[in-house]
């Protein structure tokens, strides 16, 4: 059984990056709500690891998370 090394992971992206990603799927927030929500999470909560996902594909994000969960 694998040992968890990083149990709390925060995925971080800029507002522009979040807006770009949101443009590829249905959005249920207006522009103001979107900015407010992003501002609320701009400072990451306490986490074992913060991953900057700005230029990462979904597959790269998943790989990074999986790698962080398994001790070396």
């Amino acid at each position: 059984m694998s040992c968890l090394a990083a149990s709390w992971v925060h995925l971080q992206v800029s507002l522009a990056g979040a807006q770009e990603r949101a443009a590829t799927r249905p959005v249920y927030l207006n522009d103001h709500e979107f900015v407010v929500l992003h501002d609320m999470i701009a400072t990451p909560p306490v986490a074992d690891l913060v991953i900057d996902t700005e230029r990462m594909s979904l597959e790269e994000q998943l790989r990074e998370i999986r790698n962080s969960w398994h001790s070396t």
Side-chain angles (χ1 to χ4, degrees), residues 16-62:
Q19 289 169 324
E20 184 176 317
R21 289 181 186 173
T24 67
R25 58 188 69 117
V27 177
Y28 302 97
L29 303 173
N30 65 39
D31 290 343
H32 175 73
E33 292 168 332
F34 194 94
V35 171
V36 168
L37 178 62
H38 188 80
D39 286 348
M40 288 173 60
I41 61 170
T43 301
V46 175
D48 297 318
L49 177 64
V50 177
I51 300 173
D52 181 357
T53 63
E54 189 75 27
R55 301 199 186 324
M56 296 174 110
S57 68
L58 176 59
E59 292 77 19
E60 291 169 323
Q61 293 175 46
L62 290 170

